[in-house]
């Protein structure tokens, strides 16, 4: 006995001037929405989305006008993931919203790359502590609804270098191991001590009890921090965090090696 399977795509996948646009047949359903539902911690989720978008529009190596690159949204069975690279591709940001963080259904696996323009950033910035925040994600758009109304952001092409970056960053992350975990109050104090502005100096982060300290030389147990200003985006998330975890490579990195990955453990 044989079964007939039909695949339908909205349009062909294409590579145009270095930008890769992938299409999906949608699996059992025809081009479904990946997710539709409310977020259970709307203010924290809004801050996280703004942080990922801020990284996407920033060039840390050579600060100029905002970049035009935009976050990638992925739906899977157990989470909604928002990812971006900075305009200089020197910083990677990721926000995972796990089932406890949403009240809705992830219908199918899927990925799309969307704009986060000024109207959406303004809408997210106005989300208060008990304000509802509803997301609807499909293959061609992201719809964010708040008390002020809905904002629709359309799909944009995925830059080719981002595709390479996504493949590389997960390999790099797999080689990292936890080096320190500090409570949020100590994390805030540490971020305040970081050099301001576009500081390109290479520093080292050393666990010191329940805190972190900076040094200008590599010492046992230290983690390389190349460009301390790249961690400034974390400051806007600390009010929702419980801890800050620092990861480093298994082998000591040189000045040209990986920078400090950091993860905020949010409520």
């Amino acid at each position: 006995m044989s079964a007939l399977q039909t695949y339908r795509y909205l349009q062909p996948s294409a590579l145009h001037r270095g930008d890769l646009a992938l299409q999906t047949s949608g699996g059992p359903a025809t081009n479904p929405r990946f997710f539709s539902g409310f977020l259970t911690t709307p203010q924290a989720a809004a801050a996280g989305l703004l942080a990922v978008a801020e990284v996407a529009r920033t060039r840390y190596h050579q600060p100029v006008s905002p970049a035009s690159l935009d976050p990638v949204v992925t739906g899977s069975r157990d989470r909604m993931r928002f990812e971006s690279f900075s305009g200089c591709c020197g910083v990677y940001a990721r926000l995972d919203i796990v089932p406890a963080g949403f009240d809705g259904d992830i219908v199918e696996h899927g990925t799309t790359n969307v704009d986060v323009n000024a109207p959406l950033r303004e809408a997210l910035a106005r989300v208060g502590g008990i304000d509802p925040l509803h997301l609807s994600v499909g293959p061609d758009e992201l719809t964010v609804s708040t008390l002020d109304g809905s904002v629709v952001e359309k799909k944009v092409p995925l830059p080719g270098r981002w595709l390479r970056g996504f493949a590389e960053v997960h390999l790099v992350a797999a080689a990292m191991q936890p080096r320190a975990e500090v409570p949020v109050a100590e994390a805030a104090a540490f971020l305040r001590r970081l050099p301001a502005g576009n500081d390109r100096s290479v520093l080292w982060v050393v666990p010191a009890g329940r805190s972190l300290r900076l040094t200008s030389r590599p010492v046992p147990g230290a983690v390389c921090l190349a460009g301390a200003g790249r961690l400034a985006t974390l400051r806007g998330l600390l009010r929702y965090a419980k801890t800050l975890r620092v990861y480093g490579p298994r082998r000591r990195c040189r000045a040209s090696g990986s920078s400090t990955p950091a993860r905020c453990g949010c409520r």
Side-chain angles (χ1 to χ4, degrees), residues 234-248:
L234 293 177
R235 291 174 180 148
L237 303 176
L238 290 181
R239 61 183 296 191
Y240 310 106
K242 294 180 179 178
T243 60
L244 176 71
R245 300 187 188 101
V246 179
Y247 292 74

Side-chain angles (χ1 to χ4, degrees), residues 124-254:
L124 292 172
R126 289 195 296 267
V127 173
I130 60 174
D131 292 344
L133 178 60
H134 185 276
L135 294 186
S136 180
V137 188
D140 292 307
E141 65 183 37
L142 164 70
T143 302
V144 177
S145 301
T146 66
L147 290 177
D148 296 322
S150 297
V151 179
V152 179
E153 297 288 10
K154 293 296 186 179
K155 181 177 181 178
V156 294
L158 179 66
R161 60 178 178 166
W162 276 36
L163 188 63
R164 295 190 300 271
F166 284 134
E168 294 169 354
V169 75
H170 292 291
L171 287 175
V172 173
M176 297 289 176
Q177 61 184 9
R179 294 291 186 85
E181 180 172 340
V182 299
V184 65
E186 295 296 336
F190 168 71
L191 292 178
R192 285 195 299 267
R193 294 195 297 271
L194 293 179
N198 185 34
D199 185 359
R200 300 182 185 178
S201 62
V202 176
L203 299 173
W204 299 81
V205 180
V206 183
R210 290 171 54 85
S211 185
L212 301 168
R213 65 180 178 88
L214 294 171
T215 179
S216 59
R217 297 184 303 169
V219 296
V223 178
C224 180
L225 176 57
R230 300 178 182 189
L231 296 183
T233 304
L234 293 177
R235 291 174 180 148
L237 303 176
L238 290 181
R239 61 183 296 191
Y240 310 106
K242 294 180 179 178
T243 60
L244 176 71
R245 300 187 188 101
V246 179
Y247 292 74
R250 291 186 176 90
R251 289 186 294 180
R252 188 179 67 183
C253 73
R254 295 169 295 181

Side-chain angles (χ1 to χ4, degrees), residues 14-97:
L15 180 63
H16 179 65
R17 295 181 180 178
D19 293 329
L20 181 64
L22 296 176
Q23 298 298 317
T24 174
S25 68
T30 304
N31 306 110
R33 305 198 73 75
F34 310 148
F35 172 79
S36 182
F38 290 92
L39 302 186
T40 59
T41 53
Q43 199 170 18
L49 290 171
L50 285 171
V52 174
E54 184 64 23
V55 168
R57 64 193 300 267
T58 303
R59 291 182 174 92
Y60 296 90
H61 177 65
Q62 185 179 5
V64 290
S65 58
S68 58
L69 307 179
D70 305 285
V72 171
V73 189
T74 302
S76 64
R77 294 296 185 186
D78 64 345
R79 70 193 58 213
M80 283 289 298
R81 173 168 290 177
F82 297 81
E83 300 172 278
S84 71
F85 284 99
S86 61
C88 57
C89 280
V91 175
Y92 167 74
R94 187 179 86 198
L95 169 68
D96 283 354
I97 302 177

